[in-house]
């Protein structure tokens, strides 16, 4: 096939730097690179004619010429001294990923429970090659998606989390992904999560920028949730208008497992999130929630696929957007109930507030059902604030601006209220209110707590 400029620059990049990429990674990651490269050459970036990518121009996102740190030059930053991301009253084990590299020069003083590992994916692949090889690139298949293929052929490091059989990690594990560079930069981050049978863990991922540069990030997360295991995964993005983020999350659930996946976008430039969740064993449940607040020219596209391959599983999906100014939002959610997946229960809801005539929302909830004994529903709404409610509040002495904020906050609060971690839920309620009031303009450190005003290089 004829390659576009966007695709050709990455093909040339890989062909010219393949040995360097491999030299600074691990054998397990290297084993699948060439296959991923061939898949990328075959697929090319998807056009808007491809159903799952119809709302975001992927060619345009990858067209600029970004730098890459393939030689793994050390980045001058100590995130533990610059970023303070503790949620009040929430005790976490705090780790950092700088661009796409696990930060291991300093680690949390609080030790993890026996049977819980949080470490560099590269190091894990070198120290436990059989374990990593058993899971790496097994559900994130490069043959099916060009972005996944690109990430697989370029990713050199990332994050590895393993929770052993029947181990319960009581303390939440918090990972702050920091974008740091003196030049416009592309990063390719990989995350592998393995939850053995009966394991339990709560993970909080925060995306932040340390520099006022243009960043392009691809991220692929693979999460294997074993039988009777439980995973809470919270993903919070609070970057800048110069950030482009393309994230693909793949989750496999075994029998009687539980997954609670929450994606929250408070500040961004262009964001494209994809979730593929598959039920592989009966009796499993998932709750997939999304919260988007966007203004200016921000663009947020959430695309989900929940695949009921077996019966007796429950899925619940709720995504809410509030769009202002010239913001563009998109939600496409597909629930697939396969043959013989009887006794399936599924509910999919997308609700949206469009505050101006220039903001745009595209919504496409879908059900594809091949079994007859199921309870499935889906629906979406797009509208503006209720005039009657606005009038009612103003009649009781609340000015128009404050009434608007209260209604927006109440609308989005339904998603925040589904967060199980009470301290995080309370903190996000505060952040959402500040976001609506315009108090979270740009990211200066992490807004999960008081903003840092320390320059990451001079420490002043």
């Amino acid at each position: 096939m004829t390659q576009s400029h966007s695709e050709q620059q990455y093909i040339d990049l890989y062909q010219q730097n393949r040995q360097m990429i491999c030299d600074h990674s691990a054998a397990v990651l290297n084993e699948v690179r060439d296959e991923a490269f061939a898949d990328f050459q075959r697929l090319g970036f998807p056009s808007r004619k491809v159903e799952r990518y119809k709302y975001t121009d992927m060619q345009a996102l990858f067209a600029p010429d970004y730098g890459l740190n393939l030689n793994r030059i050390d980045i001058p930053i100590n995130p533990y001294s610059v970023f303070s991301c503790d949620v009040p009253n929430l005790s976490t084990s705090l780790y950092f990923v700088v661009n796409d590299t696990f930060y291991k020069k300093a680690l949390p003083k609080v030790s993890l429970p026996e049977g819980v590992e949080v470490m560099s994916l590269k190091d894990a692949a070198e120290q436990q090659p059989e374990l990593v090889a058993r899971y790496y690139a097994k559900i994130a298949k490069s043959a099916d998606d060009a972005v996944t293929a690109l990430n697989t052929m370029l990713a050199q490091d990332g994050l590895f989390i393993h929770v052993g059989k029947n181990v319960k990690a009581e303390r939440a594990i918090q990972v702050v992904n920091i974008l740091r560079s003196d030049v416009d930069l592309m990063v390719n981050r990989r995350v592998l999560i393995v939850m053995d049978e009966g394991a339990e863990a709560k993970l909080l991922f925060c995306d932040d920028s340390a520099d006022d540069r243009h960043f392009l990030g691809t991220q692929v997360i693979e999460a294997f949730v074993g039988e009777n295991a439980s995973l809470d995964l919270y993903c919070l993005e609070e970057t800048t208008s110069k950030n482009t983020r393309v994230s693909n999350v793949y989750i496999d659930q075994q029998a009687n497992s539980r997954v609670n996946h929450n994606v929250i976008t408070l500040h961004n430039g262009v964001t494209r999130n994809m979730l593929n969740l598959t039920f592989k064993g009966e009796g499993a449940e998932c709750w997939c929630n999304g919260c988007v607040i966007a203004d200016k020219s921000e663009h947020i596209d959430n695309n989900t696929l929940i695949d009921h391959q077996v019966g007796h599983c429950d899925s619940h999906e709720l995504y809410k957007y509030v769009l202002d100014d010239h913001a563009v939002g998109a939600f496409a959610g597909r629930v697939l109930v396969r043959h013989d997946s009887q006794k399936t229960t599924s509910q999919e809801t997308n609700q949206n507030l469009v505050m101006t005539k220039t903001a745009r929302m595209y919504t496409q909830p879908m059900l594809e059902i091949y079994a007859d004994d199921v309870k499935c529903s889906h629906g979406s709404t797009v509208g503006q604030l209720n005039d009657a409610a606005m009038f009612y509040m103003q009649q009781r002495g609340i000015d128009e601006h404050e009434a608007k904020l209260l209604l927006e906050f109440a609308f989005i609060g339904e998603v925040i209220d589904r967060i199980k971690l009470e301290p995080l839920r309370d903190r996000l309620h505060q952040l959402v209110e500040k976001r609506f009031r315009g108090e979270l303009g740009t990211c200066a450190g992490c807004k999960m707590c008081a903003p840092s005003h320390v320059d990451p290089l001079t420490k002043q």
Side-chain angles (χ1 to χ4, degrees):
M1 63 176 289
T2 303
Q3 307 292 347
S4 70
H5 165 73
S6 299
E7 295 150 358
Q8 192 61 49
Q9 66 174 335
Y10 293 106
I11 292 171
D12 294 342
L13 174 76
Y14 184 78
Q15 290 176 330
Q16 296 166 12
N17 298 280
R18 178 187 178 280
Q19 193 58 51
M20 181 190 298
I21 294 171
C22 293
D23 287 345
H24 293 278
S25 191
V28 173
L29 281 65
N30 294 336
E31 287 173 0
V32 296
R33 288 194 198 281
D34 288 344
E35 182 181 354
F37 174 65
D39 289 331
F40 178 74
Q41 284 184 296
R42 174 178 55 85
L43 293 168
F45 288 117
S47 70
R48 291 198 174 196
K49 294 181 180 179
V50 177
E51 183 66 24
R52 295 200 74 176
Y53 286 91
K54 65 193 294 185
Y55 300 118
T56 302
D57 187 348
M58 302 303 291
Q59 292 274 358
L61 294 189
F62 286 88
D65 183 12
Y66 291 90
L68 287 93
N69 187 13
L70 301 180
N71 206 28
R72 318 311 286 171
I73 297 172
D74 188 48
I75 303 297
I77 186 172
N78 181 358
Y80 284 94
S81 66
V82 176
F83 286 79
S84 179
C85 297
D86 294 330
V87 179
N89 302 317
L90 177 63
S91 179
T92 68
S93 299
L94 179 61
Y95 297 87
F96 289 90
V97 174
V98 179
N99 296 331
D100 51 12
T101 303
F102 182 80
Y103 187 83
K104 54 188 178 182
K105 292 181 179 179
L107 294 172
K109 295 180 181 180
V110 179
S111 60
L112 294 168
E114 185 177 354
V116 179
E117 296 176 287
V118 179
M119 61 190 302
S120 157
L121 177 59
K122 175 179 176 291
D123 290 351
E126 292 173 341
Q127 297 169 18
Q128 307 175 68
E130 293 183 359
L131 175 63
V132 174
R134 191 184 311 155
Y135 296 101
Y136 184 74
K138 292 300 186 289
I139 54 175
K141 298 184 182 299
S142 61
D144 298 335
D145 183 84
V147 174
T148 298
L150 180 69
N151 179 280
T152 304
M153 76 189 208
L154 294 179
Q156 296 169 283
D157 193 9
L159 178 69
F160 176 69
I161 298 176
H162 179 213
V163 184
K165 184 177 179 180
N166 295 324
V167 174
K168 294 176 174 55
E170 300 293 342
R171 182 191 299 269
I173 297 170
Q174 185 176 4
V175 179
V176 180
N177 298 312
I178 298 175
L179 296 171
R180 164 74 182 94
S181 178
D182 296 326
V183 299
D184 294 350
L185 186 70
M186 178 186 187
V187 301
N188 298 283
R189 185 186 308 122
R190 198 71 179 221
V191 179
L192 179 58
I193 302 167
V194 179
M195 306 286 296
D196 288 345
E197 179 183 346
E200 294 184 13
K202 304 174 185 66
L203 310 180
L204 171 59
F205 292 169
C206 305
D207 281 15
D208 293 290
S209 285
D211 294 293
D212 186 26
R213 308 298 308 187
H214 289 277
F215 290 96
L216 169 62
T218 72
Q219 174 177 263
V220 172
I221 298 176
E222 294 180 280
F224 296 82
V225 186
E227 189 172 341
N228 292 306
S230 177
L231 172 65
D232 288 3
L233 177 58
Y234 304 97
C235 300
L236 172 66
E237 182 182 7
E238 195 179 2
T239 55
T240 73
S241 60
K242 293 183 177 181
N243 187 58
T244 298
R245 176 180 187 262
V246 183
S247 175
N248 292 353
V249 178
Y250 298 85
I251 301 175
D252 261 16
Q253 288 192 240
Q254 300 299 322
N256 302 307
S257 61
R258 305 289 181 271
V259 166
N260 183 14
H261 177 258
N262 297 265
V263 56
I264 301 159
T265 305
L266 295 183
H267 265 301
N268 73 309
V270 178
T271 297
R272 207 274 175 175
N273 297 317
M274 185 176 79
L275 169 66
N276 282 16
L277 187 147
T278 304
F279 290 112
K280 293 292 186 67
E282 294 188 353
E285 296 179 295
C286 76
W287 289 264
C288 302
N289 306 308
C291 165
V292 172
I293 303 171
D295 55 13
K296 302 180 180 65
S297 298
E298 296 171 353
H299 178 107
I300 303 95
D301 177 0
N302 283 297
N303 189 292
T304 69
L305 168 61
I306 298 180
D307 188 353
H308 289 259
Q309 293 190 355
V310 296
H312 299 272
C313 292
D314 297 342
S315 64
H316 310 270
E317 198 168 5
L318 174 63
Y319 278 72
K320 286 194 171 189
Y321 291 61
V322 177
L323 305 177
D324 210 335
D325 298 332
H326 297 272
V328 175
F331 171 80
R334 178 182 171 215
V335 176
L336 173 60
V337 183
R338 297 182 183 266
H339 293 282
D340 299 323
S341 296
Q342 308 296 351
K343 302 297 181 182
T344 289
T345 300
S346 178
Q347 183 178 18
E348 180 185 31
T349 305
N350 173 227
Q351 297 176 332
N352 311 283
L353 280 180
V354 179
M355 307 303 297
T356 64
K357 293 182 179 180
T358 52
R360 293 289 182 269
M361 181 67 204
Y362 303 91
T363 177
Q364 189 180 18
M366 296 169 279
L367 288 177
E368 190 173 343
I369 303 173
Y370 298 99
D372 51 17
D373 188 6
V374 301
K375 294 181 181 179
C376 298
S377 64
H378 72 306
S380 68
T381 60
V382 180
Q384 296 181 320
L385 290 177
N386 187 292
D387 290 338
M390 287 286 292
F391 177 78
Y392 179 88
M393 296 174 74
Q394 289 178 267
Q395 287 295 99
R396 279 148 184 81
I398 302 174
D399 65 49
E400 181 180 359
H401 178 68
E402 191 67 21
K404 171 176 170 288
L405 292 175
L406 290 173
L407 289 174
E408 289 175 331
F409 185 65
F411 174 80
I412 215 74
E414 183 182 359
V415 178
I416 305 299
D417 287 339
R418 291 193 174 196
I419 291 176
K420 294 181 180 180
L421 288 173
E422 184 177 353
L424 177 61
R425 183 170 66 243
D426 293 343
R427 186 59 179 153
L428 284 173
H429 274 304
Q430 298 174 18
L431 289 176
V432 167
E433 182 178 0
K434 288 184 176 182
R435 177 67 172 92
F436 282 132
R437 294 184 183 279
E439 297 177 14
L440 299 182
T442 57
C443 206
C446 182
K447 295 297 189 304
M448 292 302 293
C449 62
S452 168
H453 299 287
V454 180
D455 182 87
L457 291 178
T458 65
K459 307 293 191 301
Q460 297 179 353

